Amino acid sequence: MSLACLRDYELRAHSVLPKNALDYYKSGAGEEFSLQLNRDAFNRLRLQPRVLRDVSCRDVSTTVLGCRVTLPVGIAPTAMQRMAHPEGECATARAAGAMGTVFTLSTLSTSSLEQVAAAAPDTLKWFQLYIYKDRKVTQQLVQRAEKAGFKALVLTVDAPVFGIRNADVRNKFSLPPHLALANFTDSTTTHVNQTESGSGINEYVNNLFDQSISWEDVKWLKSITRLPLVLKGILTAEDAIIGANMGAAAIQVSNHGGRQLDGAPAPIEALPEIVRAVGDRCEVYLDGGVRQGTDVFKALALGASMVFLGRPAIWGLAVEGEKGVVDVLTLIKREFNHALALAGCTCIADIKPNMVVHESRYSRL
């Protein structure tokens, strides 16, 4: 059967991934309310297309942090991608480059900064960062990212601890023994080991991540690099304003794929207030729940300048490596281009906020 949409890739990936890896990638925190909400919130938004407009010539390219990309969809950081395919992050980075868009490498990757830089030299690459208890570990990662040609740092701000992910607890999740966290050399930071009490990834985070991080650490990070800083994991206008005041280049509205605080809003729900608060001062991105081109359209209409995909790229990677990721991005791009035409738009600038409304507008009829 041909793979016609993202759901087809997801189902195929579910059939080929080992249970330990599949459950890690697909699960959310707690009862997975926020995980489901990420999709439900998009489905509660209605599109209001305009008609009888000449849409024969369309352009879906945009600019992100001063760099031109061919579509407003990038790759979000996702850990340990060699569990999905032997080439892991290197394959995903090459796919992003082939599509002319952004790839974000996770700190907890199974391919190192240097490996990804060598494998995808022409890809626009960003590096996602966690702050470790040992600040030298974090500072060295920043220096290596700069040296390897990464163009931005994406600081995850919503993970002083990891959410309780029941699937990982049940599976006693650990990184397969033939893999390691490739950005490190010390055994305490390279391995996610099986534990008797539950998830190995949560034990790793609890042992090494700094739970005391604060806005002062954002100041510190800005003081040690000239790279633009994206703050990922913000869901309130209040925090977005603090971030903008500290000079963040962008705010990435995200609930960590529903994997942190169960009960937190979907990013698409939080997006409008954050755009109102800081959209004239820095770029605003969104990740979480984006599964088709109309989702991209909705996010852009509500003020996002870029959206990022996490799990969808993993499904493509698991199915057919680099080609699978290219195919998934091509699907999303085609669907977005189609949505643009049917909504009466020729470019991203034509997408207006009044083209998206909540379903409650129609429930009153």
Side-chain angles (χ1 to χ4, degrees):
M1 183 185 72
S2 62
L3 303 175
C5 63
L6 179 63
R7 181 61 176 162
D8 292 343
Y9 278 89
E10 182 175 5
L11 292 174
R12 183 72 61 85
H14 283 201
S15 72
V16 300
L17 282 168
K19 180 175 174 55
N20 185 59
L22 174 61
D23 285 355
Y24 173 79
Y25 292 134
K26 75 181 181 70
S27 63
E31 295 299 311
E32 300 187 335
F33 172 81
S34 290
L35 177 64
Q36 183 61 42
L37 185 61
N38 284 1
R39 285 301 309 138
D40 292 343
F42 271 108
N43 291 335
R44 291 171 188 152
L45 298 175
R46 302 289 177 265
L47 296 173
Q48 295 197 123
R50 300 299 305 274
V51 299
L52 295 177
R53 295 179 171 187
D54 182 356
V55 294
S56 57
C57 296
R58 300 185 300 281
D59 177 12
V60 298
S61 66
T62 190
T63 300
V64 58
L65 295 184
C67 297
R68 199 71 183 171
V69 291
T70 61
L71 70 162
V73 182
I75 302 294
T78 306
M80 300 179 280
Q81 293 187 21
R82 288 185 188 266
M83 293 195 301
H85 187 274
E87 294 187 342
E89 295 85 358
C90 293
T92 307
R94 287 195 300 268
M99 292 297 295
T101 193
V102 183
F103 168 77
T104 314
L105 180 68
S106 170
T107 287
L108 302 179
S109 60
T110 41
S111 307
S112 71
L113 284 150
E114 293 79 10
Q115 287 173 321
V116 170
D122 299 325
T123 299
L124 177 58
K125 298 176 291 292
W126 297 355
F127 182 61
Q128 177 271 336
L129 195 65
Y130 290 110
I131 292 182
Y132 281 69
K133 291 177 181 177
D134 183 350
R135 291 297 190 275
K136 289 182 181 178
V137 172
T138 301
Q139 187 164 2
Q140 289 169 356
L141 288 171
V142 170
Q143 292 167 346
R144 287 168 59 195
E146 292 174 339
K147 185 177 180 180
F150 286 69
K151 299 302 183 184
L153 297 176
V154 181
L155 177 64
T156 293
V157 297
D158 63 355
V161 297
F162 268 12
I164 298 174
R165 303 163 192 171
N166 293 329
D168 290 344
V169 174
R170 295 186 192 103
N171 293 335
K172 295 184 178 178
F173 174 84
S174 64
L175 192 59
H178 68 287
L179 297 176
L181 299 180
N183 284 317
F184 306 98
T185 56
D186 184 271
S187 61
T188 60
T189 47
T190 58
H191 291 91
V192 177
N193 299 313
Q194 191 174 67
T195 69
E196 290 302 318
S197 58
S199 168
I201 190 65
N202 278 39
E203 181 169 302
Y204 177 96
V205 169
N206 290 336
N207 287 338
L208 297 174
F209 285 14
D210 193 346
Q211 297 182 29
S212 72
I213 58 171
S214 69
W215 289 105
E216 291 301 312
D217 294 291
V218 176
K219 291 182 182 178
W220 168 75
L221 187 57
K222 281 188 62 62
S223 75
I224 66 170
T225 183
R226 294 185 178 180
L227 292 178
L229 182 61
V230 179
L231 299 181
K232 179 183 184 301
I234 287 179
L235 289 170
T236 66
E238 293 85 353
D239 283 341
I241 289 169
I242 296 172
N245 288 344
M246 288 191 171
I251 301 296
Q252 191 156 329
V253 185
S254 170
N255 66 8
H256 212 111
R259 294 162 67 78
Q260 283 298 94
L261 179 63
D262 200 24
I268 195 67
E269 294 178 310
L271 177 65
E273 72 171 59
I274 291 173
V275 170
R276 287 193 296 269
V278 301
D280 60 341
R281 301 172 58 194
C282 63
E283 296 182 6
V284 179
Y285 314 141
L286 176 141
D287 73 72
V290 177
R291 294 295 180 271
Q292 54 186 339
T294 51
D295 298 333
V296 178
F297 188 99
K298 291 172 182 178
L300 297 184
L302 294 181
S305 53
M306 190 80 174
V307 302
F308 288 84
L309 306 174
R311 291 182 182 94
I314 292 296
W315 306 146
L317 181 67
V319 170
E320 204 169 358
E322 178 184 344
K323 181 181 182 301
V325 181
V326 168
D327 289 346
V328 164
L329 287 172
T330 300
L331 279 172
I332 300 293
K333 182 179 182 180
R334 183 185 306 132
E335 290 170 353
F336 174 64
N337 191 18
H338 207 66
L340 204 68
L342 293 177
C345 302
T346 62
C347 62
I348 290 170
D350 287 346
I351 303 174
K352 305 302 180 185
N354 61 8
M355 290 180 165
V356 174
V357 297
H358 192 266
E359 65 179 3
S360 59
R361 169 167 179 170
Y362 293 100
S363 66
R364 296 191 300 267
L365 298 178

